[in-house]
Amino acid sequence: MKFSDETLRAYLEGNADAAEAAAIEAAIETDLALEQRLMTLDPLAPVVQSVFENIPADAPKIELPQPMPVSTADTSGGLWRLMAVAASVAVVAVSATFWATRPEPMGWAEQAAIYQSLYSPDTIESLDSSPVALDAQFARAEAQLGRSLNRDTLETLPGLELKRAQVLSFKGKPLIQVVFADDQGQPLAFCVIRQGEGAPVKDVKLAAISGVATATWAQDGYGYMLIGSSEQTDLDQQLNILTTTFAG
């Protein structure tokens, strides 16, 4: 049976009578050319195709429920049925894309680097780094951390001026940030987090995070991080001293 474009458009728009709609749907079952004509005439077809083309190759497979049978009384609603199918496909595709491409939760080191990257020379210029203030800050930080921060070593790191020690928190664990200024007034930081017994030992790892150079390592239940003021900051000299001092 031949169908004109006008008849097929009427079907897609939901204007075909029940007999025509039933005849078209019966013919589609065995006529691939007719199905292709319908796809060509269907304004929603490119949208559906685009949705599928943009699903990542490794998107998780989703089991869809079996389609509900369409009653004969509804066979004239071609456009509305196609819109419902397209909307369902889009929802499934977007959901699959989200779950396949969602970012991994950030760890403490990433968040510490992002926080430190917001610092500028003006941030630390007015900090109270008097001996009295530092005494109170280090006492509070060491009490929270449960270990010494080896203040004597931190105060004598080459090229750095000790500015502050403050207590932060990550997922309920104390995270200590010790802030320094280099000879240009640029901010650097040394962070320590208590990870607990059984936490894995990790060798030094260098990385640029949020636009700043970082070095991280872990040992004896604590994680350590040295953060520069930019991606070009040379951390080697201070890193060698800190990894030796905080070796256990």
Side-chain angles (χ1 to χ4, degrees):
M1 184 175 181
K2 299 294 184 181
F3 301 98
S4 67
D5 286 353
E6 289 74 16
T7 300
L8 295 179
R9 287 194 184 95
Y11 168 77
L12 291 170
E13 294 168 1
N15 295 325
D17 60 37
E20 284 182 331
I24 291 171
E25 290 175 358
I28 289 174
E29 295 293 330
T30 57
D31 191 338
L32 294 179
L34 177 59
E35 181 180 0
Q36 185 60 47
R37 284 180 62 200
L38 272 175
M39 293 294 290
T40 301
L41 295 171
D42 179 12
L44 290 175
V47 177
V48 177
Q49 181 178 6
S50 175
V51 167
F52 275 104
E53 288 176 349
N54 287 284
I55 298 177
D58 57 350
K61 294 182 179 179
I62 299 177
E63 295 296 330
L64 298 178
Q66 292 296 318
M68 295 294 291
V70 179
S71 66
T72 303
D74 294 334
T75 55
S76 63
L79 175 61
W80 303 111
R81 291 198 307 281
L82 288 171
M83 287 180 65
V85 170
S88 300
V89 169
V91 169
V92 170
V94 170
S95 299
T97 301
F98 170 77
W99 287 107
T101 61
R102 70 192 188 282
E104 293 294 327
M106 288 189 294
W108 75 270
E110 289 82 3
Q111 296 209 21
I114 292 172
Y115 177 61
Q116 180 66 23
S117 71
L118 301 176
Y119 276 49
S120 70
D122 290 339
T123 309
I124 61 176
E125 183 179 10
S126 59
L127 292 178
D128 182 1
S129 54
S130 65
V132 173
L134 289 174
D135 285 346
Q137 293 166 12
F138 271 84
R140 187 182 311 112
E142 291 176 342
Q144 290 286 325
L145 196 60
R147 66 153 297 160
S148 170
L149 284 169
N150 298 295
R151 178 176 166 184
D152 291 344
T153 298
L154 299 181
E155 287 183 318
T156 58
L157 286 174
L160 299 182
E161 176 189 1
L162 181 60
K163 300 293 289 186
R164 180 179 67 184
Q166 69 170 335
V167 179
L168 305 173
S169 177
F170 179 77
K171 294 185 177 181
K173 299 176 181 178
L175 170 59
I176 309 304
Q177 179 209 42
V178 182
V179 180
F180 304 88
D182 66 11
D183 53 10
Q184 301 298 317
Q186 295 293 330
L188 287 82
F190 173 57
C191 298
V192 185
I193 187 171
R194 188 176 67 204
Q195 297 176 317
E197 294 183 6
V201 174
K202 296 183 179 180
D203 294 333
V204 174
K205 178 182 178 181
L206 304 178
I209 304 174
S210 192
V212 293
T214 70
T216 55
W217 69 102
Q219 190 164 344
D220 295 331
Y222 291 90
Y224 304 95
M225 185 178 198
L226 181 60
I227 309 173
S229 59
S230 72
E231 290 187 6
Q232 288 72 44
T233 304
D234 185 356
L235 302 176
D236 287 347
Q237 193 173 13
Q238 293 83 12
L239 182 60
N240 288 336
I241 297 171
L242 291 173
T243 51
T244 299
T245 303
F246 293 88

